[in-house]
Amino acid sequence: MSTPHQTKPTESEMEILQILWEKGDCTVRDVHEILEKSKEAGYTTTLKLMQIMHEKGLVSRDTSSKTHIYRALVNQQKTQQQLVSKMIDNVFNGSAARLVMQALGNHSASKDEIDSIKKYLDELSKK
């Protein structure tokens, strides 16, 4: 049995969720202006996507004022965990180590990030 909150966001929906998680409550215009900085996006496309996300239960919409305000309904950490788990299973044959090695091989991590990863691994090995 699936609830709306278990709906897997599409790539475009994830971009919008990232904005809502970072900025908090936003209008469609707020989200659209941020999206436009990184890609070609039509206002009506952004509006339609956010309406679909509302129907899916990914965002709430406050219609009490003339300008509708949207808020993410899904938890950022839970959503990221679900997507990573699915990726580990589907792309890396269930191997979290392969995912981590691929991620670190493709993206340069800062010294602080590497130190955080080492600390996390140390804590995991103590369990």
Side-chain angles (χ1 to χ4, degrees):
M1 189 157 64
S2 136
T3 66
H5 296 287
Q6 291 173 324
T7 302
K8 180 179 172 260
T10 65
E11 194 174 321
S12 295
E13 290 169 347
M14 275 303 298
E15 290 174 344
I16 291 170
L17 284 172
Q18 294 284 3
I19 293 167
L20 293 173
W21 287 328
E22 185 182 329
K23 304 285 184 196
D25 299 1
C26 288
T27 64
V28 174
R29 174 124 349 256
D30 296 333
V31 170
H32 176 68
E33 286 173 359
I34 294 167
L35 282 177
E36 253 188 339
K37 291 175 186 172
S38 60
K39 70 179 202 173
E40 284 279 321
Y43 177 83
T44 53
T45 303
T46 304
L47 172 64
K48 186 67 181 159
L49 266 172
M50 292 178 75
Q51 289 170 338
I52 291 168
M53 290 172 72
H54 179 255
E55 290 166 16
K56 286 177 150 183
L58 297 171
V59 298
S60 66
R61 180 174 61 201
D62 178 354
T63 58
S64 61
S65 65
K66 184 177 174 234
T67 307
H68 297 178
I69 305 293
Y70 287 80
R71 165 182 291 155
L73 284 179
V74 290
N75 176 280
Q76 182 175 10
Q77 188 171 358
K78 274 187 184 160
T79 302
Q80 289 170 339
Q81 285 171 343
Q82 288 169 347
L83 292 173
V84 168
S85 292
K86 193 171 214 123
M87 185 188 309
I88 289 170
D89 291 342
N90 296 341
V91 180
F92 295 96
N93 209 20
S95 171
R98 286 163 92 186
L99 168 80
V100 170
M101 289 185 282
Q102 184 71 38
L104 291 175
N106 286 350
H107 300 283
S108 56
S110 70
K111 181 170 178 356
D112 287 346
E113 288 174 319
I114 291 171
D115 289 343
S116 293
I117 292 167
K118 285 178 182 174
K119 184 179 173 193
Y120 181 72
L121 291 174
D122 287 343
E123 288 170 13
L124 279 180
S125 64
K126 289 176 187 170
K127 288 182 179 179

